[in-house]
Each structure stands twice: as structure tokens, then as C-alpha cells.
């Protein structure tokens, strides 16, 4: 049974007021001063929620009367933010008004604020939609160079992935948030990022990294309660590692601190964890602490906490008092149903089954446990895949939008050039004559002639590659866009398909030649590269990449690993028609082994691998004294492995 889940630092309840910095107004403006005054009052916790909401409505009315779009946006944002705390049915209507204003202002920051509030609106309704809006909010804030708000949106995305048990995804997103927030000076944001990373690594059983980031959170935190929460999380790591003495030492200090009396919910959790640690270490003092914690949690109506305490007590009494164990399991089961907490409900069913009085009841509970456990696993796996798809789709929409804007600009430039064709032609001829004269003089020297010829040949190859692979398709897309009615869905879809093809080939060329980070961030970059090939029709599974000690691997070998896997993924995507690709990493006898497999159409019998575009793979692996093994079965996909000494 898992013990009390890690306490997340402050599920970040900071008020997120967009546009205060991004849309300045004149200080002498009476309307601006009044609006700012009422907005500040709406965030003042000394007033009741009703009064805060009244202040936000006054700020909104001032924005309407000001005839200033920026002021109206700020007032409307403030109103929606307050309304969302009441789950107001009108929030969606005002969100549509906010979007219209954001587009009118033509600035990325207001649009980022709209997407952020939309994510908040969908948070209790649909996690997928909320995640997608946070992702778009992050993108708009990055465009506006507002890394702090972009980082906050990434933090919210991280928490949604954590809730859905997508810990690999949460680690990646939290790392991106850290990059945005590390220079923000916002202590609470950084503490939250480090804590999320600690939680993710703990759930992935990477306790060394979990402790590393929890300690960073502790060093960053300024207030006593934040530090206590981090220490509690560290104690939970030691409990997982069965180092109960270390956990008890930390928790005893937390329980004894007078400052913890100001937050009874945290104090109760610390007492419960202390009692559970005593119990797991074989010390009978555990029951008195767990009972004390349950009493405190019941007194402050902490139902989630009471549920955890009941599970601990049920486990404690299983052997010495099965009837009492069943009593606590029944209470935990009831609370889990009420709170819709499926994980704790599973634990409660397990304890009820162990204290069952009849085989019929035991079989019924086992059936319920199996059904519930299977459904949880399926839902969480779907959530992980959906998060990846949302991020991929969001990126595609953004890229297509940028390309469409570029096409429009190119069409306008083309029309302008057509008007001056004769002038440009004359200028081009003059330029070519001048260049020809310069080349003639430079060719007097044989050495200079050879250098020029080499440069010319290089430019020709590059020009040919771009012309053959991209130019014609780009021109055709431009012509299509300028001659067809794009309001028709089929025409628009055809244009999007054409642009997507150009984009994919451009991205492949860029990816094949892009720089690679070979330092500490190498495994994350490798994961990102492999994950980019995942889409709606292809699932990419990356196994045990973090078990390899990449710090000890030579940079050249990292580069070969990256390029080999990149070529395999490109070859698979082009030829295999696979729906699943698995990349498995391991270290055996100081040798790194990487196994690749897919369920595509495989290699036709009698044809060598080298004829299927994998010559470079073998050459690269040989260059680092590695070995390559192919295992090909007709119509059963491709399976190969390669390895090299560390």
C-alpha cells in the first residue's frame, strides 16, 4: 500500500493578473487610477468574497465607460477571474468578449491572458481542454517575451499531468517551466517547480533526483511553512526507501515545532506520517500518533486526510484486531466514494477483502478491485497519450498559422515586384555584370580560383537541394492560395495538406542538421526528439532512458546514439507504416544496449538492410566500436539492437 501522498507546495493559488504590465496607460488618467484602485480592492483578502466581487464589477464598469480597449480588457479580465471562483455560468459569455478584445488589441499578452482564463474555466470540466488552453497561453506569453507568465502556465500543465499520473510528461513540462522561471525572482514559483520535479522523480522511483530537487526547493523557500512542507516530502522519500529512522527523525522535529500549530492540516499530516513510519519500523507507538492525527483531521473536517489515516489504521490493525481494521477500511471506502478518489478506494477494497467474513464477499470485492484497477490504468494511459497529442496538435496549429501568414506576406511582395519587373531586371543584369567582373579578377590566382569554385559548388548543391525538395511545392502552394477560394473547406484542406508536406520536409532537413546538447540535458533532448515522431496514428514508447548514466558517456557516442535513433525513426516513418515503435535502453557489463522495434510491414525477404536507407546507421555504430544486430521477420515489423562500451 502506498502511504500518504506527497504534499504539493501550495497548488499555486497566486492571483494571475495579466496585462498590468503589458498595457500601460497614462498615470494622469482618472479612469485608469479608479480601475486600478477597485482591482486592488478585489484582491484584498480582508474583504468578503461578495465584496471582492462587487469591486471587480465596479472596475469592469469603469473599463466600459473609459472607451479605452486596454482598460476595458483589464476590467473584464478581473471580473472573469473573480466570477470563476463562484463557478459563474456567465463566465463563458464574458470569455468570448475577452477574446474579441484581445484580438482587437493585437498583442500576444492579452491573448495569452484569454487562453489562461479559458484553461481555468475548463479545469473542473475537462482536463484535456484545460491542458490545451494552458499550452496555448504559454505560447502567446512566450511570443510577448513574458517568460514568467509562460512559466506559470507550464506549471499548471505540469500539475494536470501529475494528476493523470503522466510523470514522464510532468518532468519534461516542469523542466521547461524551470527554464522560464529561473530568472523571474519569484520564489514561490521556483519552489513549486522544484517540488513538481521532486514528485515526478519520486513516482518514477528515481529517489536520488527526487531528493536533489526537494533540497533545491528547501534552499529556495523563504518562509517556515514552505520549508516544513518540503521536509515532509523528503521524509516520504525515506519511507519509500525503508529508511524509517531518517524519516522519523525529520517528522519528529516537524511535529514538535510550534509554528506548525498555525496550519493544523499540515500538522495532522506530519503526525500521521510519523505514526505510519513508526508502524512500518515495527514500533508500537505508531498507533497513538495515527489515532491522534485522525482525531485532528476529523476536527478540522479534512476528509482527504481522514481517508489516508483510516487506511493507515486499517493496515495497522489487520493482524491484531481484524474487526477494527474493517471499521477503518469501511470509513476509508465511504470517504473515497464521496471524494471520488479511485486510488484510495482501491486500497480500502484491498483491506476490506482481507477482513472479509465470507468467500462470497471476498470474491465480490476482488472483482470490484480488478475492474476498478483496470479502468484506472486505461484512463491514465489514454490521458498520457492525449497530452502528447494536444501538444503536438497545438504545435501544428501554430506552425500552420505562421506559414499561412508568411504566404500572405509573400503574395503581397510578389505583387509589388511584378509592378517593378523591368527595373528589377535591369538591376539584376547590372549586378550580374559587376559580379562577373569581380569573379574574372579573382580567378587570376589559381588558389583563389579553386576556393571560389569550391564555394560555388557548395552553393549550387544547397540551391539544388532547396529547389528540388521545397521550391516547387512552395510556389505551387502560393499559386493555389492566390487563385483558389480558401473559404471552401476542400480548398483550405488542400492548402493545409500542401503546407504540412513542405513543413515536414523542412523540419526533417533542419532536424538532421540541428545542433545537439551533449551535456546534462542530453537525455531530455533525446526524449524530446523521439517523442516528436509520435502522432495520432503512431505511438512511441521510450523505456528506461533514465537508467543510463549519460554523464559518463563520451560526447561522440552520445552524438552517434542521437543520429542513429534519428535515422531509424525517419526510416520507420517513411517506409514501415508502423503504429507502435519501442526504444528500450539498458546498461549491461559497462556496455550500453539500445533495442529498437516496430510493428510495421518489415523488410521484404531477400533485400538487405543497406538498400533500405540504413547504411549510415551501420557506419556510425562502427565508428564508435559498437555492434549492430538485425532481427527481421517478413510482415512482422523490424527489430534491431546496437550497443557500445561506455
Amino acid at each position: 500500500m502506498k502511504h500518504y501522498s506527497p504534499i504539493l507546495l501550495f497548488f499555486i493559488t497566486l492571483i494571475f493578473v495579466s496585462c498590468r504590465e503589458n498595457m500601460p496607460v497614462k498615470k494622469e488618467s482618472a479612469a485608469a487610477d479608479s480601475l486600478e484602485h477597485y482591482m486592488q480592492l478585489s484582491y484584498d483578502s480582508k474583504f468578503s468574497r461578495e465584496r471582492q466581487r462587487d469591486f471587480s464589477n465596479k472596475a469592469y464598469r469603469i473599463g466600459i465607460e473609459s472607451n479605452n480597449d486596454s482598460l476595458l480588457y483589464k476590467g473584464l479580465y478581473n471580473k472573469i477571474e473573480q466570477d470563476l471562483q463562484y463557478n459563474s455560468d456567465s463566465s463563458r459569455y464574458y470569455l468570448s468578449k475577452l477574446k474579441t478584445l484581445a484580438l482587437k488589441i493585437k498583442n500576444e499578452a492579452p491573448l495569452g491572458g484569454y487562453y489562461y482564463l479559458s484553461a481555468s474555466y475548463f479545469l473542473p470540466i475537462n482536463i484535456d481542454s484545460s491542458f490545451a488552453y494552458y499550452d496555448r497561453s504559454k505560447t502567446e506569453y512566450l511570443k510577448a517575451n513574458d517568460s514568467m507568465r509562460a512559466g506559470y502556465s507550464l506549471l499548471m500543465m505540469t500539475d494536470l499531468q501529475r494528476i493523470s499520473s503522466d510523470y514522464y510528461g510532468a518532468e519534461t513540462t516542469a523542466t521547461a517551466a524551470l527554464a522560464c522561471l529561473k530568472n523571474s525572482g519569484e520564489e514561490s514559483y521556483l519552489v513549486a517547480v522544484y517540488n513538481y520535479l521532486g514528485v515526478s522523480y519520486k513516482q518514477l522511483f528515481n529517489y536520488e533526483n527526487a531528493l536533489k530537487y526537494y533540497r533545491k526547493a528547501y534552499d529556495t523557500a523563504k518562509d517556515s511553512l514552505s520549508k516544513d512542507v518540503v521536509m515532509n516530502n523528503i521524509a516520504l522519500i525515506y519511507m519509500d526507501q525503508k529508511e524509517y529512522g531518517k524519516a522519523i527523525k525529520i517528522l519528529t522535529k516537524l511535529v514538535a515545532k510550534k509554528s506548525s500549530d498555525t496550519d493544523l492540516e499540515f500538522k495532522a499530516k506530519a503526525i500521521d506520517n510519523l505514526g505510519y513510519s513508526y508502524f512500518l519500523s515495527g514500533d508500537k507507538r505508531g498507533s497513538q500518533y495515527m489515532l491522534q492525527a485522525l482525531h485532528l483531521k476529523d476536527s478540522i473536517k479534512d476528509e482527504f486526510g481522514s481517508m489516508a489515516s483510516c487506511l493507515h489504521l486499517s493496515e495497522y490493525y489487520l493482524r491484531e484486531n481484524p474487526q477494527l481494521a474493517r471499521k477503518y477500511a469501511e470509513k476509508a471506502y465511504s470517504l473515497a466514494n464521496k471524494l471520488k478518489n479511485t486510488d484510495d478506494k482501491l486500497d480500502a477494497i484491498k483491506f476490506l477483502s482481507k477482513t472479509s467474513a465470507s468467500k462470497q464477499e471476498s470474491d465480490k470485492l476482488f472483482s470490484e478491485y480488478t475492474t476498478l484497477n483496470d479502468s484506472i490504468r486505461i484512463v491514465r494511459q489514454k490521458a498520457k497519450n492525449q497530452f502528447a497529442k494536444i501538444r503536438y496538435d497545438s504545435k501544428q496549429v501554430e506552425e500552420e498559422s505562421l506559414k499561412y501568414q508568411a504566404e500572405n506576406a509573400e503574395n503581397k511582395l510578389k505583387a509589388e515586384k511584378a509592378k517593378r519587373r523591368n527595373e528589377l531586371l535591369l538591376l539584376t543584369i547590372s549586378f550580374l555584370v559587376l559580379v562577373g567582373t569581380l569573379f574574372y579578377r579573382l580567378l587570376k590566382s589559381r588558389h583563389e580560383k579553386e576556393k571560389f569554385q569550391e564555394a560555388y559548388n557548395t552553393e549550387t548543391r544547397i540551391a539544388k537541394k532547396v529547389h528540388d525538395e521545397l521550391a516547387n511545392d512552395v510556389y505551387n502552394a502560393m499559386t493555389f492560395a492566390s487563385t483558389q477560394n480558401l473559404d471552401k473547406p476542400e480548398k483550405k484542406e488542400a492548402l493545409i495538406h500542401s503546407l504540412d508536406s513542405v513543413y515536414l520536409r523542412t523540419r526533417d532537413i533542419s532536424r538532421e542538421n540541428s545542433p545537439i546538447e551533449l551535456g546534462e540535458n542530453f537525455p531530455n533532448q533525446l526524449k524530446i526528439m523521439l517523442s516528436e515522431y509520435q502522432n495520432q496514428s503512431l505511438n512511441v514508447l521510450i523505456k528506461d532512458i533514465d537508467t543510463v548514466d549519460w554523464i559518463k558517456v563520451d560526447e561522440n557516442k552520445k552524438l552517434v546514439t542521437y543520429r542513429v535513433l534519428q535515422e531509424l525513426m525517419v526510416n520507420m516513418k517513411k517506409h514501415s507504416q508502423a503504429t507502435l515503435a519501442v526504444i528500450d535502453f539498458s546498461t549491461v557489463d559497462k556496455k550500453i544496449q539500445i533495442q529498437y522495434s516496430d510493428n510495421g510491414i518489415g523488410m521484404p525477404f531477400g533485400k538487405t538492410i543497406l538498400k533500405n536507407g540504413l547504411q549510415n546507421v551501420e557506419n556510425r555504430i562502427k565508428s564508435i566500436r559498437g555492434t549492430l544486430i538485425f532481427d527481421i521477420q517478413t510482415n512482422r515489423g523490424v527489430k534491431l539492437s546496437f550497443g557500445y562500451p561506455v
Side-chain angles (χ1 to χ4, degrees):
M1 177 193 141
K2 68 177 184 178
H3 47 68
Y4 200 90
S5 60
I7 305 171
L8 289 175
L9 292 175
F10 332 109
F11 181 63
I12 313 176
T13 55
L14 303 175
I15 300 297
F16 199 69
V17 188
S18 294
C19 317
R20 287 190 178 184
E21 301 167 10
N22 299 306
M23 293 181 295
V25 293
K26 295 181 179 180
K27 291 184 178 180
E28 62 268 25
S29 168
D33 290 343
S34 297
L35 184 139
E36 290 288 348
H37 172 69
Y38 284 115
M39 284 178 61
Q40 290 176 10
L41 291 176
S42 72
Y43 296 123
D44 194 331
S45 60
K46 72 180 180 183
F47 295 109
S48 66
R49 278 195 167 187
E50 290 75 12
R51 287 286 289 157
Q52 290 176 328
R53 199 175 186 188
D54 288 340
F55 290 136
S56 71
N57 286 329
K58 288 181 179 179
Y60 175 51
R61 285 196 293 271
I62 291 171
I64 294 174
E65 295 167 358
S66 69
N67 293 321
N68 181 302
D69 289 338
S70 295
L71 291 180
L72 177 56
Y73 182 94
K74 293 174 72 175
L76 182 55
Y77 188 103
N78 178 254
K79 173 178 173 54
I80 296 171
E81 197 172 35
Q82 293 293 336
D83 286 351
L84 285 174
Q85 298 183 46
Y86 290 84
N87 298 318
S88 174
D89 294 335
S90 62
S91 295
R92 194 157 192 173
Y93 165 75
Y94 287 111
L95 277 170
S96 66
K97 293 172 70 75
L98 190 73
K99 182 179 182 181
T100 302
L101 264 176
L103 293 172
K104 186 178 180 181
I105 294 171
K106 295 182 180 179
N107 182 295
E108 289 87 356
L111 200 55
Y114 159 72
Y115 286 130
Y116 176 83
L117 286 183
S118 296
S120 300
Y121 172 80
F122 280 103
L123 186 58
I125 303 172
N126 186 304
I127 286 182
D128 291 348
S129 296
S130 182
F131 185 87
Y133 277 116
Y134 280 131
D135 191 37
R136 297 185 72 177
S137 172
K138 172 263 301 179
T139 299
E140 296 301 327
Y141 281 130
L142 287 177
K143 289 180 184 178
N145 295 319
D146 191 340
S147 58
M148 187 182 75
R149 288 185 172 86
Y152 186 86
S153 293
L154 284 165
L155 272 180
M156 300 304 291
M157 293 165 64
T158 302
D159 193 63
L160 293 181
Q161 289 173 299
R162 179 196 63 80
I163 291 171
S164 302
S165 298
D166 180 12
Y167 297 109
Y168 281 113
E171 174 203 347
T172 300
T173 308
T175 301
L178 181 59
C180 289
L181 296 170
K182 60 184 179 182
N183 296 320
S184 68
E186 290 291 335
E187 164 226 320
S188 58
Y189 286 7
L190 286 174
V191 174
V193 174
Y194 291 138
N195 190 75
Y196 277 130
L197 285 168
V199 171
S200 297
Y201 282 120
K202 177 183 182 296
Q203 295 300 325
L204 296 172
F205 306 105
N206 188 339
Y207 297 122
E208 182 179 354
N209 272 342
L211 286 171
K212 169 186 171 183
Y213 283 104
Y214 279 145
R215 285 166 182 152
K216 283 190 174 185
Y218 183 87
D219 292 339
T220 305
K222 302 300 181 186
D223 64 283
S224 175
L225 179 59
S226 299
K227 289 182 177 290
D228 289 348
V229 170
V230 174
M231 290 308 299
N232 182 78
N233 285 346
I234 291 175
L236 294 176
I237 293 287
Y238 290 137
M239 291 168 70
D240 273 359
Q241 294 178 311
K242 298 184 179 180
E243 296 187 38
Y244 303 120
K246 291 183 178 180
I248 290 170
K249 184 177 180 181
I250 292 173
L251 293 166
T252 300
K253 290 182 179 179
L254 292 179
V255 170
K257 289 182 68 172
K258 291 185 178 180
S259 59
S260 63
D261 293 338
T262 60
D263 191 316
L264 294 179
E265 185 176 340
F266 171 72
K267 187 178 183 70
K269 291 171 183 175
I271 294 172
D272 187 43
N273 285 332
L274 176 59
Y276 194 56
S277 296
Y278 273 129
F279 160 57
L280 293 175
S281 67
D283 192 321
K284 292 187 177 181
R285 284 179 291 175
S287 61
Q288 68 185 65
Y289 283 105
M290 288 188 285
L291 288 169
Q292 179 187 351
L294 177 59
H295 177 74
L296 181 55
K297 291 173 181 179
D298 286 342
S299 69
I300 60 175
K301 295 182 171 50
D302 177 11
E303 293 183 319
F304 278 99
S306 296
M307 180 170 55
S309 288
C310 286
L311 290 173
H312 289 168
L313 286 165
S314 181
E315 183 180 3
Y316 177 84
Y317 285 114
L318 270 178
R319 291 185 179 179
E320 63 181 59
N321 194 336
Q323 289 185 339
L324 192 54
R326 184 175 183 83
K327 169 189 170 184
Y328 286 117
E330 287 173 345
K331 183 176 179 180
Y333 182 86
S334 175
L335 286 169
N337 276 327
K338 178 181 178 181
L339 300 173
K340 298 181 180 179
N341 187 313
T342 50
D343 287 320
D344 285 346
K345 184 176 179 179
L346 281 175
D347 288 333
I349 292 173
K350 181 171 63 176
F351 292 137
L352 286 172
S353 176
K354 291 181 178 181
T355 58
S356 175
S358 66
K359 185 177 184 304
Q360 182 179 6
E361 182 189 17
S362 180
D363 290 343
K364 181 180 178 181
L365 289 168
F366 177 77
S367 176
E368 182 180 3
Y369 181 94
T370 303
T371 302
L372 184 59
N373 191 43
D374 289 343
S375 66
I376 291 173
R377 188 170 61 253
I378 292 171
V379 168
R380 286 179 174 169
Q381 186 57 49
K382 286 182 177 178
K384 294 177 186 178
N385 295 337
Q386 183 67 7
F387 285 145
K389 181 179 182 301
I390 288 170
R391 300 193 79 159
Y392 174 80
D393 290 345
S394 177
K395 185 177 180 181
Q396 289 292 96
V397 169
E398 180 185 353
E399 293 292 340
E400 289 169 5
S401 175
L402 291 174
K403 287 183 176 293
Y404 184 72
Q405 293 174 21
E407 290 293 338
N408 284 338
E410 187 68 23
N411 288 335
K412 291 179 181 179
L413 182 60
K414 183 179 178 181
E416 186 177 337
K417 285 183 178 180
K419 296 178 182 179
R420 303 176 181 177
R421 185 173 301 168
N422 293 334
E423 294 178 9
L424 291 174
L425 181 60
L426 180 61
L427 181 61
T428 302
I429 293 174
S430 301
F431 176 74
L432 291 175
V433 170
L434 178 61
V435 172
T437 303
L438 292 174
F439 283 165
Y440 174 77
R441 292 178 180 177
L442 291 172
L443 290 174
K444 289 180 180 180
S445 167
R446 182 177 180 180
H447 177 68
E448 291 177 345
K449 179 180 178 180
E450 289 174 353
K451 288 177 62 178
F452 168 75
Q453 189 62 41
E454 181 181 354
Y456 177 78
N457 290 340
T458 301
E459 292 172 358
T460 301
R461 285 196 301 272
I462 294 174
K464 187 175 185 304
K465 186 172 183 180
V466 173
H467 178 271
D468 291 348
E469 296 186 17
L470 299 175
N472 288 337
D473 286 349
V474 171
Y475 180 80
N476 290 336
M478 290 166 51
T479 303
F480 186 89
S482 62
T483 58
Q484 302 295 320
N485 182 6
L486 296 184
D487 289 335
K488 294 183 178 180
E490 62 275 19
K491 300 295 184 181
K492 184 176 180 181
E493 183 65 27
L495 176 60
I496 292 175
H497 180 75
S498 177
L499 292 174
D500 187 56
S501 176
V502 172
Y503 160 70
L504 290 175
R505 277 180 288 164
T506 304
R507 188 184 66 179
D508 288 343
I509 293 172
S510 173
R511 182 189 293 145
E512 291 169 6
N513 297 280
S514 61
I516 301 172
E517 168 61 50
L518 299 175
E520 292 183 355
N521 197 42
F522 173 76
N524 286 333
Q525 187 169 7
L526 183 57
K527 281 190 284 187
I528 291 171
M529 181 275 288
L530 294 171
S531 299
E532 284 178 351
Y533 289 88
Q534 179 161 304
N535 55 38
Q536 192 170 5
S537 61
L538 172 64
N539 194 15
V540 177
L541 298 181
I542 307 167
K543 300 176 62 179
D544 299 328
I545 187 172
D546 291 315
T547 62
V548 177
D549 190 355
W550 293 104
I551 299 298
K552 296 182 179 179
V553 180
D554 180 74
E555 288 190 355
N556 186 46
K557 293 178 181 179
K558 291 181 186 176
L559 180 60
V560 168
T561 301
Y562 189 100
R563 291 303 186 195
V564 164
L565 289 175
Q566 190 177 56
E567 289 192 47
L568 291 175
M569 298 303 287
V570 169
N571 188 71
M572 175 272 296
K573 192 167 185 180
K574 287 183 177 179
H575 306 296
S576 74
Q577 301 177 23
T579 60
L580 175 65
V582 180
I583 304 94
D584 193 359
F585 296 79
S586 62
T587 304
V588 181
D589 296 330
K590 295 184 179 180
K591 187 175 182 180
I592 294 176
Q593 293 286 348
I594 302 173
Q595 181 172 295
Y596 166 87
S597 60
D598 66 48
N599 64 348
I601 60 176
M603 295 289 182
F605 181 75
K607 294 187 178 181
T608 66
I609 292 294
L610 303 182
K611 291 182 180 179
N612 286 275
L614 296 180
Q615 176 71 64
N616 285 338
V617 169
E618 188 170 44
N619 291 341
R620 289 182 189 274
I621 294 173
K622 285 182 178 179
S623 71
I624 58 172
R625 297 183 293 115
T627 57
L628 177 65
I629 300 174
F630 294 93
D631 180 10
I632 307 171
Q633 300 179 10
T634 305
N635 298 324
R636 292 188 63 183
V638 173
K639 182 177 181 180
L640 61 86
S641 63
F642 63 94
Y644 52 85
V646 176

